[in-house]
Amino acid sequence: MVISRKGRTIDDNPWWGQWTIYLLLIVAGLVTLLPIVNICAKSLSNSASIAKFPLMLLPHGLDFSAYHYILSTQVLLRSFGITVFATVVGTFLNLLFTVFSAYGLSKTYLPGHKYMLWFVIFPMLFGAGLIPHYILLKNLGLINNIWVLVINGLVSPFNLILMRNFFWNLPDGLEESATIDGANDLQTLWHIVLPLSKPAIATIGLFYAVHHWNDFFTGLYFINDNSKWPLQVILRSIVIDQTMMNMGNLTSQADEAALTISPENIKAATIMFSIVPIMLVYPFLQKYFVKGIYLGSVKG
């Protein structure tokens, strides 16, 4: 609100500006939400309704046959377990190495601090490429190994710098008081720093978890055994082959009931099966998300 020379108040943010913002946000939300609603409706509809109504927002002829089929297929359950393993174990190790590294980099009095910080920043700007990356993982014995889904990209430079800035933003007096009371660096980190860093840890953990869950290229490039493929690579095979029955040795033999399920029905059910678990995590971490990014952005 702006006050004019005559003492009258002038609204510097008129009503039409607010409604324009609301309208744009509603349109953006619909563009994001409607494809998911369409896929969900297809996954719950029968084959005849999908052929008749390619675009639908509500299920037509409610049918759970596609979900029954994909949940009875061993390959999908196995790939789901591999993805859950990579997400849970990978996120834990990501946070462990990121937190310890960021805590060390936040101490500007350490010798060679600037050089170590540039050592972290440099990989953000330049990469060795796919072939050197493949040779490195091969020499480490990680090719065709599910641990490549966990160890590959163990620390993200962006997340490391974000976490470092968060630690750097904490008041120095908190750690100094803990040192006076006789706490060492590990005790200070565990009892003082980490409890105050829950928003940042939740934010970074969400970044890592989403990355592991949606990781497609690692399984595609570095795992040749289809029995070790993560869920996203299996999903790609389903979409490209049009149906799970055409995946050859990737699936169990199709039973008579599966022959009546349309490929679109199976693809829709598989997509929902792959996105729902990670979507359920967001409501529990949403309150930390914006706060974690904001607190780690500036010193003040």
Side-chain angles (χ1 to χ4, degrees):
M1 182 175 293
V2 179
I3 301 178
S4 64
R5 292 181 178 180
K6 295 182 180 180
R8 293 179 298 180
T9 60
I10 302 176
D11 192 357
D12 60 346
N13 195 5
W15 64 268
W16 56 265
Q18 290 288 342
W19 282 104
T20 302
I21 295 175
Y22 293 153
L23 180 61
L24 292 176
L25 291 177
I26 292 173
V27 171
L30 291 176
V31 170
T32 304
L33 184 62
L34 289 181
I36 300 177
V37 174
N38 179 44
I39 292 295
C40 182
K42 281 186 176 182
S43 68
L44 296 172
S45 303
N46 55 35
S47 301
S49 298
I50 294 177
K52 186 177 181 180
F53 305 103
L55 297 177
M56 60 178 69
L57 299 180
L58 295 175
H60 294 268
L62 190 62
D63 189 357
F64 295 93
S65 299
Y67 286 101
H68 180 268
Y69 175 66
I70 64 174
L71 292 177
S72 64
T73 308
Q74 292 298 321
V75 62
L76 198 62
L77 297 179
R78 182 173 60 246
S79 63
F80 179 80
I82 292 173
T83 301
V84 170
F85 167 80
T87 301
V88 175
V89 178
T91 302
F92 172 77
L93 293 179
N94 291 144
L95 289 175
L96 181 66
F97 282 88
T98 300
V99 166
F100 277 96
S101 301
Y103 185 66
L105 288 175
S106 66
K107 307 305 176 185
T108 56
Y109 55 81
L110 291 177
H113 167 266
K114 292 184 178 179
Y115 298 103
M116 290 187 290
L117 189 59
W118 275 108
F119 184 77
V120 174
I121 296 175
F122 189 81
M124 296 179 61
L125 307 177
F126 303 97
L130 180 61
I131 295 177
H133 193 186
Y134 183 90
I135 295 174
L136 174 63
L137 294 178
K138 183 178 180 180
N139 293 334
L140 293 175
L142 293 176
I143 298 299
N144 212 31
N145 190 327
I146 62 174
W147 280 98
V148 73
L149 301 172
V150 175
I151 298 178
N152 185 43
L154 191 60
V155 176
S156 168
F158 173 79
N159 293 340
L160 177 59
I161 293 175
L162 186 63
M163 199 73 199
R164 178 257 181 193
N165 290 342
F166 187 92
F167 288 151
W168 186 52
N169 194 41
L170 294 177
D172 297 333
L174 295 175
E175 298 185 42
E176 292 175 357
S177 62
T179 303
I180 294 175
D181 291 337
N184 56 33
D185 291 334
L186 289 178
Q187 290 174 331
T188 302
L189 176 63
W190 181 259
H191 295 287
I192 303 297
V193 177
L194 290 185
L196 297 174
S197 305
K198 290 180 180 179
I201 293 175
T203 302
I204 300 302
L206 183 61
F207 286 163
Y208 279 126
V210 172
H211 167 73
H212 283 294
W213 188 268
N214 293 330
D215 190 9
F216 164 74
F217 292 104
T218 301
L220 182 65
Y221 291 156
F222 306 125
I223 297 181
N224 303 319
D225 187 357
N226 50 40
S227 64
K228 299 178 181 178
W229 278 352
L231 185 61
Q232 301 304 328
V233 181
I234 295 294
L235 179 60
R236 166 188 173 272
S237 298
I238 295 172
V239 173
I240 291 179
D241 295 336
Q242 299 299 319
T243 172
M244 295 184 71
M245 282 83 81
N246 292 336
M247 291 175 63
N249 60 342
L250 292 182
T251 62
S252 59
Q253 294 182 350
D255 51 21
E256 295 182 359
L259 297 176
T260 62
I261 306 175
S262 70
E264 292 294 329
N265 201 205
I266 293 177
K267 287 194 295 184
T270 308
I271 292 173
M272 293 303 301
F273 181 78
S274 64
I275 66 175
V276 167
I278 197 65
M279 288 177 60
L280 296 177
V281 178
Y282 276 92
F284 299 99
L285 300 178
Q286 183 180 7
K287 62 179 180 180
Y288 297 112
F289 190 76
V290 176
K291 184 179 179 182
I293 295 293
Y294 173 76
L295 293 179
S297 58
V298 294
K299 176 77 173 181

